[in-house]
Amino acid sequence: MSTSPLESTVRGSKAQLKQLPSVDRVLKLPAVSVLIDAHGRAFVSGEVRALLLDWREARLLGKPVHAVDEASIAAALSARIDARLTVLHTNLGRALLPDEAIVAVAQAMRAPTNLEIDLDSGERGDRDTLIEKLVCELTGAQAATVVNNNASAVLLTIAALGAKREVIVSRGELVEIGGSFRMPDVMKCAGAKMIEVGTTNRTHARDFVGAITAKTALLMKVHASNYVVRGFTAAVGEDQLADIAHRAGLPLAVDLGSGSLVDLAQYGLPHEPMPQEALASGADIVTFSGDKLLGGPQAGLIVGKREWISKIKKHPIKRALRVSKLTLAALEATLALYRHPEQLMTRLPTLRLLTRPLAEIDALAKSVAPAPARAVGAQFDVACGAVHSQIGSGSLPIDLLPSAGLFVRCRESKSTGRRLNALAAALRRLPVPVIGRIADNALILDLRTLEDEAAFVAQLPRLNVRPIES
Ligand SMILES: *Cc1c(COP(=O)(O)O)cnc(C)c1O
């Protein structure tokens, strides 16, 4: 192993340990004060303490140690801080918000808002009023309310309408979505008794009719958003289910999961159920997500008939699940874009990326490829090729969109798995993490969502593929 000028291979000794400076001394170094200005004293001192602990431990174990001059301390600290900050944004966080929403959130943070004041009367207002009008306009609902996410929307709906009573749902729709949200558990949490009807693959109208008793509070339909049942199947449609519910004087709630406010088929995408369709079919309450296909902030929307929505709004859990002014600002700005459907494809990032023309992604792949080819080094080879994008977040689970991307393969056939993993990890450590997937002996980067090509290329010189251990 070669020894850089900053390293010494002396084994640890008491004298060596004593050479480590104190946290205070490090914090006073001019090169470190630059880091304090950028990231704050508390964060930097925590990192200094952790770095010195690591070094102390390394010395005790007799490992090669870093020199403790100012430049090496500052460099190690800065690398450590980079790594920390990178980890803090690795989560991909669902929908990218439109610029209009970003501006609205900034404004809501900076200045007082009319969140809970009725500007006409000067009295205390309802924080849902503004957004409710817009949601009703777009979905055709009589009333609407907003909570923290769609999971909250479902929980609140069942708690408000079905607690201590029975809620009927098809066995084919007992969804589990990521993060341990399972329909049977949600029913239990909400205090309702779940009555399952039908079978995994087939449920009929008569199954629902036969299950209705004096204890029934609600019929429920759950959109199977992250799986499909294929083959010998039958399900009861919303219109028929609404009919069955209404004849018994009961409401029908439909959980759409994603729920798109526009017909995705007009953009050449697979059709995804729309809240306005569910309402038109007779559903009394419809719940859907703000940050899936809608393309806004994390939120759960509950829309439907006034009678039920007002019951939902009055339930004590509503206060615990309500959204902040920032969410409302972002949601309002996102929803306002839907008033101009012809501009959605350019202004709403979710839709823009879903409908991005293949030819454009293909051309991007060709123009961008040389930069990563240089950055990954001689052990890899970079080629352009056809890939398929998955939509994700429990939307359109089996539909894949044709896309284009980069295929990085190892030139040598030895340890290709480990080499590709090391490269994938290095890409994830970049200031703006790049997330690839490994399949067919290649690391694949789907370029559908790459919009800032210059920023991607500019950070590539920082790519640091750690050598694999043999
Ligand atoms: C995604 C989803 C939810 C939960 O929505 P969040 O906004 O993630 O809380 C609930 N039900 C279905 C059917 C879903 O697909």
Side-chain angles (χ1 to χ4, degrees):
M1 207 180 112
S2 69
T3 308
S4 80
L6 294 180
E7 278 177 337
S8 111
T9 46
V10 195
R11 298 246 144 192
S13 68
K14 278 196 173 153
Q16 280 266 311
L17 288 178
K18 275 203 186 125
Q19 280 178 21
L20 283 177
S22 67
V23 174
D24 280 345
R25 261 191 58 204
V26 173
L27 289 172
K28 285 190 186 116
L29 296 173
V32 175
S33 74
V34 176
L35 294 171
I36 295 175
D37 287 345
H39 306 291
R41 174 169 288 272
F43 178 67
V44 175
S45 31
E47 292 303 309
V48 170
R49 208 164 282 124
L51 177 73
L52 293 176
L53 260 172
D54 278 1
W55 282 7
R56 177 175 292 265
E57 193 180 289
R59 284 167 185 231
L60 282 170
L61 294 173
K63 289 189 184 160
V65 291
H66 281 82
V68 290
D69 60 284
E70 178 173 350
S72 4
I73 290 177
L77 205 54
S78 160
R80 202 183 168 95
I81 288 173
D82 273 357
R84 261 301 294 280
L85 295 178
T86 302
V87 172
L88 295 180
H89 20 254
T90 16
N91 190 316
L92 300 184
R94 287 199 188 165
L96 302 181
L97 271 73
D99 290 340
E100 287 79 354
I102 295 164
V103 170
V105 171
Q107 178 62 19
M109 287 195 284
R110 199 177 291 125
T113 70
N114 56 342
L115 182 67
E116 284 192 5
I117 184 163
D118 179 346
L119 292 177
D120 290 333
S121 66
E123 306 271 304
R124 180 176 181 152
D126 172 357
R127 68 165 65 196
D128 281 349
T129 310
L130 286 174
I131 207 95
E132 181 168 15
K133 282 197 187 118
L134 192 49
V135 176
C136 291
E137 175 195 315
L138 294 170
T139 60
Q142 289 177 355
T145 188
V146 181
V147 284
N148 184 52
N149 52 15
N150 187 40
S152 316
V154 176
L155 176 73
L156 176 61
T157 300
I158 299 171
L161 307 183
K164 301 206 180 90
R165 295 176 64 201
E166 295 178 354
V167 178
I168 308 176
V169 64
S170 160
R171 285 204 169 87
E173 297 174 359
L174 298 179
V175 179
E176 171 181 313
I177 58 166
S180 73
F181 178 96
R182 299 171 137 197
M183 205 37 86
D185 300 339
V186 175
M187 294 261 187
K188 203 177 282 169
C189 273
K193 180 167 181 203
M194 183 173 79
I195 305 293
E196 308 166 30
V197 297
T199 61
T200 306
N201 57 329
R202 290 172 70 81
T203 301
H204 306 284
R206 60 174 185 273
D207 297 323
F208 281 94
V209 174
I212 293 175
T213 68
K215 289 190 200 140
T216 308
L218 181 69
L219 267 57
M220 190 141 187
K221 185 164 178 69
V222 184
H223 180 51
S225 45
N226 53 7
Y227 68 102
V228 286
V229 183
R230 269 204 267 199
F232 186 53
T233 64
V236 188
E238 276 137 25
D239 41 0
Q240 207 177 355
L241 216 46
D243 209 41
I244 295 169
H246 297 162
R247 269 183 219 199
L250 299 168
L252 167 68
V254 177
D255 174 22
L256 284 185
S258 313
S260 176
L261 286 177
V262 286
D263 182 3
L264 294 181
Q266 67 181 301
Y267 305 107
L269 294 167
H271 178 80
E272 173 76 13
M274 299 158 67
Q276 45 278 55
E277 290 171 343
L279 291 170
S281 299
D284 300 274
I285 305 105
V286 181
T287 56
F288 56 103
S289 235
D291 57 346
K292 289 183 179 172
L293 290 172
L294 192 123
Q298 179 190 304
L301 287 87
I302 313 177
V303 301
K305 306 230 167 86
R306 193 167 290 112
E307 170 189 6
W308 307 111
I309 299 294
S310 82
K311 229 172 149 175
I312 287 169
K313 281 190 185 183
K314 283 190 202 114
H315 192 278
I317 293 182
K318 168 67 172 50
R319 169 65 191 243
L321 302 178
R322 75 178 189 185
V323 294
S324 78
K325 63 175 181 178
L326 305 185
T327 301
L328 284 174
L331 187 60
E332 188 186 356
T334 307
L335 289 169
L337 293 181
Y338 282 85
R339 284 180 165 154
H340 309 278
E342 71 291 348
Q343 296 174 10
L344 272 179
M345 254 171 74
T346 48
R347 288 163 76 185
L348 191 69
T350 303
L351 205 56
R352 183 168 72 229
L353 296 173
L354 286 177
T355 59
R356 198 167 182 192
L358 177 57
E360 185 186 314
I361 312 174
D362 216 27
L364 171 66
K366 294 202 171 82
S367 83
V368 87
R374 276 191 303 276
V376 293
Q379 57 167 326
F380 300 105
D381 185 54
V382 177
C384 302
V387 297
H388 282 95
S389 315
Q390 190 157 13
I391 298 175
S393 280
S395 311
L396 308 161
I398 57 166
D399 297 292
L400 298 172
L401 307 175
S403 181
L406 302 177
F407 288 73
V408 189
R409 295 193 178 84
C410 296
R411 291 225 161 107
E412 263 181 71
S413 59
K414 233 179 77 209
S415 318
T416 53
R418 281 194 295 153
R419 285 176 206 276
L420 291 175
N421 274 318
L423 175 62
L427 284 164
R428 289 195 303 268
R429 283 193 303 268
L430 286 171
V432 180
V434 174
I435 317 284
R437 65 190 151 88
I438 295 176
D440 302 331
N441 274 324
L443 174 69
I444 304 171
L445 301 176
D446 182 348
L447 297 185
R448 170 176 297 276
T449 60
L450 177 65
E451 292 198 294
D452 193 347
E453 179 185 344
F456 170 65
V457 170
Q459 64 171 351
L460 285 175
R462 297 178 69 166
L463 189 71
N464 175 17
V465 186
R466 293 190 181 143
I468 57 167
E469 287 156 32
S470 42

